[in-house]
Amino acid sequence: MKAKLDRGPWASSGVEAIRPDVHRIPLPLPDDGLRAVNVYVLEDGDDVILIDGGWAIPESRQALETGLAALGHDLGDVSHILVTHVHRDHYTQAVELRRLVGSRVYLGAGERPGLEMLDEVRTDVPVTFLDTLRRAGADELAERVLRDMGCDEFDASIWEAPDHWLAPGVIQFERHALRVVPTPGHTRGHVVYLDESRGLLYSGDHVLPHITPSIGFELTTTGRPLAEYLDSLHLVTTFADAELLPAHGPAGGSAHARAAELLAHHDTRLDDTIDALGRRTSDAFAVARDLLWTRREVPFAELNAFNQMLAVNETAAHLDVLVERGRLAFELVSGVKRYVRADGDG
């Protein structure tokens, strides 16, 4: 018996029908502002394909089992798990399911350097983000984030390599064909999966309906994560428009329309950032403190340490794009990047 469409809040437990053979199951993210991560269930003959795996915690596994049971399946039917990126709320339960039932795990090839570095540094602390904080003039904030995150023991078992590293192209299953489209920005190896025949875009954290994703939140970056993210948003619009199936937030709506909104948001944010810099020479930490944050326009001082870290890193990314576009210049002073308007700008 098929589950009925759940029309409650998007993060509520249950199953939502997207197409007759495609369903959404939100899996809980306790103590996380994102609330839940959407896992999409694709029925493919006797097999079940998942888009993203969830976080390897008991609450998530129980919600997945319950959702699959409502569709007439169990964990043993999950044959393939296509992960959009390597963050814990998308990847770690995929690895656990492989261990439990033999599911095959797929991940974009661009995530390989970060996953290999994770095995070397053996910590869940976002060390690259902390390095960016220090270059932004926020040493004290970096130390506060470290204290707040604590020193939990690193569990290497949930960060094993996938069975398949994915390059651009089409993965053909019995009933489903999914185009793998690399979309670096949120992470270096983020990919989206486009079902062209059904008009569906499994967008992971690349295109979200209500928020903008953090940029370059990983161990390794190319040094220009926001520029790559903006390029990746443009790339999404070069394919035929599709229904947006995000990893967080409700499903539905035009992928092209939301990508356009995100591009417009970042254009505005670039203008806000250069206005906050003004005519001074300053670092990203100082500029971030003069901007407002989230959709509610919260002052920087009212953010907790983790979100202040995200804010400073986002500011640094916008400042670097402005440098790349010739509107700003920078110099390193005692390891801190200090930005100034380029000659002739404004």
Side-chain angles (χ1 to χ4, degrees), residues 92 99 168 328 334:
T92 57
R99 191 177 303 121
L328 297 180
S334 300

Side-chain angles (χ1 to χ4, degrees), residues 204-252:
D205 284 7
H206 179 55
V207 182
L208 298 173
H210 294 151
I211 60 174
T212 60
S214 57
I215 301 300
F217 191 46
E218 57 186 329
L219 288 178
T220 62
T221 68
T222 61
R224 53 191 305 272
L226 179 58
E228 291 197 341
Y229 177 67
L230 298 176
D231 288 344
S232 297
L233 285 176
H234 282 291
L235 177 62
V236 165
T237 68
T238 66
F239 296 94
D241 198 8
E243 182 178 348
L244 182 63
L245 302 182
H248 307 284

Side-chain angles (χ1 to χ4, degrees), residues 43 47-48 58-59 79 104 168 181 200 210 216 229 233 241 263 275 283 310 322-323 339-341:
E43 295 175 291
D47 293 331
V48 167
E59 301 96 317
S79 54
R104 300 188 72 78
V181 182
L200 302 174
H210 294 151
Y229 177 67
L233 285 176
D241 198 8
L263 286 164
D275 287 345
D283 55 52
L310 296 180
L322 290 164
V323 170
Y339 300 86
V340 65
R341 285 181 185 255

Side-chain angles (χ1 to χ4, degrees), residues 35-70:
R35 300 171 57 206
V37 59
N38 294 323
V39 166
Y40 295 93
V41 179
L42 284 57
E43 295 175 291
D44 198 78
D46 294 331
D47 293 331
V48 167
I49 302 163
L50 300 186
I51 306 294
D52 281 327
W55 184 12
I57 54 175
E59 301 96 317
S60 177
R61 180 173 163 187
Q62 180 60 55
L64 180 59
E65 288 187 273
T66 300
L68 288 173

Side-chain angles (χ1 to χ4, degrees), residues 228-341:
E228 291 197 341
Y229 177 67
L230 298 176
D231 288 344
S232 297
L233 285 176
H234 282 291
L235 177 62
V236 165
T237 68
T238 66
F239 296 94
D241 198 8
E243 182 178 348
L244 182 63
L245 302 182
H248 307 284
S254 161
H256 282 191
R258 182 54 181 159
E261 290 175 354
L262 288 166
L263 286 164
H265 162 79
H266 282 287
D267 283 342
T268 299
R269 199 60 173 173
L270 288 165
D271 289 339
D272 291 343
T273 300
I274 201 167
D275 287 345
L277 175 66
R279 294 295 172 183
R280 59 182 166 164
T281 299
S282 191
D283 55 52
F285 184 39
V287 175
R289 296 200 301 271
D290 288 338
L291 290 165
L292 297 175
W293 297 95
T294 80
R295 289 179 295 164
R296 299 187 301 277
E297 297 194 330
V298 175
F300 181 88
E302 296 180 15
L303 302 174
N304 63 25
F306 184 83
N307 283 302
Q308 286 186 351
M309 175 184 70
L310 296 180
V312 173
N313 277 263
E314 180 180 318
T315 302
H318 282 82
L319 289 165
D320 287 340
V321 166
L322 290 164
V323 170
E324 187 173 318
R325 294 182 180 181
R327 299 187 65 188
L328 297 180
F330 77 90
E331 60 178 350
L332 280 174
V333 179
S334 300
V336 174
K337 293 179 78 171
R338 293 179 58 80
Y339 300 86
V340 65
R341 285 181 185 255

Side-chain angles (χ1 to χ4, degrees), residues 61-293:
R61 180 173 163 187
Q62 180 60 55
L64 180 59
E65 288 187 273
T66 300
L68 288 173
L71 294 169
H73 298 291
D74 59 32
L75 292 180
D77 295 329
V78 178
S79 54
H80 306 275
I81 308 175
L82 280 62
V83 183
T84 57
H85 61 294
V86 80
H87 286 166
R88 68 178 187 178
D89 55 326
H90 298 255
Y91 188 68
T92 57
Q93 188 161 251
V95 174
E96 182 180 72
L97 290 178
R98 177 174 63 187
R99 191 177 303 121
L100 288 171
V101 301
S103 309
R104 300 188 72 78
V105 178
Y106 301 70
L107 188 64
E111 297 289 50
R112 190 167 192 160
L115 198 56
E116 290 176 348
M117 182 178 287
L118 187 64
D119 188 53
E120 294 175 11
V121 300
R122 303 183 73 80
T123 178
D124 292 320
V125 173
V127 292
T128 302
F129 257 41
L130 295 178
D131 288 344
T132 302
L133 282 183
R134 297 182 180 103
R135 286 194 302 274
D139 283 334
E140 187 277 332
L141 176 58
E143 295 307 313
R144 187 150 43 97
V145 171
L146 271 174
R147 289 195 303 270
D148 288 353
M149 294 192 72
C151 299
D152 294 338
E153 184 176 349
F154 177 73
D155 182 3
S157 67
I158 61 175
W159 298 110
E160 296 169 353
D163 297 286
H164 300 282
W165 293 107
L166 295 175
V170 176
I171 305 175
Q172 181 68 59
F173 297 103
E174 182 179 339
R175 297 180 182 174
H176 295 264
L178 298 171
R179 180 174 297 280
V180 180
V181 182
T183 50
H186 180 56
T187 66
R188 184 177 181 179
H190 192 291
V191 298
V192 300
Y193 299 101
L194 178 61
D195 185 333
E196 292 167 298
S197 65
R198 291 172 177 79
L200 302 174
L201 178 69
Y202 302 96
S203 64
D205 284 7
H206 179 55
V207 182
L208 298 173
H210 294 151
I211 60 174
T212 60
S214 57
I215 301 300
F217 191 46
E218 57 186 329
L219 288 178
T220 62
T221 68
T222 61
R224 53 191 305 272
L226 179 58
E228 291 197 341
Y229 177 67
L230 298 176
D231 288 344
S232 297
L233 285 176
H234 282 291
L235 177 62
V236 165
T237 68
T238 66
F239 296 94
D241 198 8
E243 182 178 348
L244 182 63
L245 302 182
H248 307 284
S254 161
H256 282 191
R258 182 54 181 159
E261 290 175 354
L262 288 166
L263 286 164
H265 162 79
H266 282 287
D267 283 342
T268 299
R269 199 60 173 173
L270 288 165
D271 289 339
D272 291 343
T273 300
I274 201 167
D275 287 345
L277 175 66
R279 294 295 172 183
R280 59 182 166 164
T281 299
S282 191
D283 55 52
F285 184 39
V287 175
R289 296 200 301 271
D290 288 338
L291 290 165
L292 297 175
W293 297 95

